[in-house]
Amino acid sequence: MLWLPAAILASIIPGHYLPSEDWLRFSRPAAYTLVSVSFVVIFLVGARVSKHTDASAYVDGIFVAGLLVGLFYAPMADLVHKNIPALLAAASGSEVKHSYKVITADRPSDKWCRSPIELEGMPFMTRLCGTGEDFRAHLSPGQTVVFGGKGTWMGLYVEYMLPP
């Protein structure tokens, strides 16, 4: 379904795009609906193509749907929460500022995210990546900071941080 495009978009969108808290509140029902509809469709297809003809076909459908939706939940939710708004911001964004609350800025880097900053209310695996030590040195947990850059009301590509 939408898993492949979602995964491809997730790999293309750089780590310095952050969705706004307003957009996350607005888009959560759409993300949950997308995941729920995907589960139902996969369940029906799984039950229909099952080799069983009795109630075991439904168990097969639940297993396949649970497995696939469980594996691809984050990319499908990110499609709504992050990827589509990031493409809109890149295509038609202007100068915006959004405020966020810092959870932590001193986590070690990993192979997916160098110099991460974790922010409150962000979806699973959404962190601000690629920030310098001097940038992170001014941040502390619980602090509200304002990030600015190119974007829309849905989020922005972080280019700078206003002094906390």
Side-chain angles (χ1 to χ4, degrees):
M1 275 177 90
L2 295 173
W3 307 324
L4 187 58
I8 291 170
L9 279 174
S11 67
I12 293 172
I13 305 297
H16 60 279
Y17 179 82
L18 288 175
S20 71
E21 291 180 11
D22 291 338
W23 172 250
L24 291 175
R25 273 192 298 279
F26 181 78
S27 68
R28 276 195 180 101
Y32 294 147
T33 301
L34 176 64
V35 171
S36 299
V37 167
S38 297
F39 182 87
V40 170
V41 168
I42 295 168
F43 164 74
L44 293 173
V45 170
R48 182 107 165 124
V49 300
S50 174
K51 293 181 181 178
H52 298 101
T53 57
D54 56 359
S56 297
Y58 297 116
V59 173
D60 292 346
I62 289 171
F63 175 75
V64 169
L67 180 69
L68 290 177
V69 171
L71 285 174
F72 295 105
Y73 170 78
M76 286 192 310
D78 274 355
L79 187 66
V80 174
H81 289 313
K82 199 166 88 168
N83 298 342
I84 292 171
L87 291 174
L88 293 172
S92 65
S94 60
E95 181 69 24
V96 294
K97 296 174 186 161
H98 294 292
S99 62
Y100 300 91
K101 186 179 265 186
V102 176
I103 293 176
T104 182
D106 58 358
R107 280 221 146 138
S109 297
D110 58 38
K111 66 181 177 179
W112 291 286
C113 184
R114 302 285 179 220
S115 305
I117 297 173
E118 291 189 33
L119 302 167
E120 187 173 275
M122 291 295 113
F124 177 68
M125 298 283 293
T126 300
R127 302 170 286 188
L128 181 59
C129 301
T131 57
E133 287 300 320
D134 55 333
F135 191 78
R136 297 185 331 155
H138 300 290
L139 301 177
S140 60
Q143 179 181 31
T144 299
V145 293
V146 176
F147 293 112
K150 183 178 180 181
T152 64
W153 72 273
M154 295 181 272
L156 76 154
Y157 286 97
V158 176
E159 296 172 4
Y160 61 89
M161 175 184 78
L162 295 177

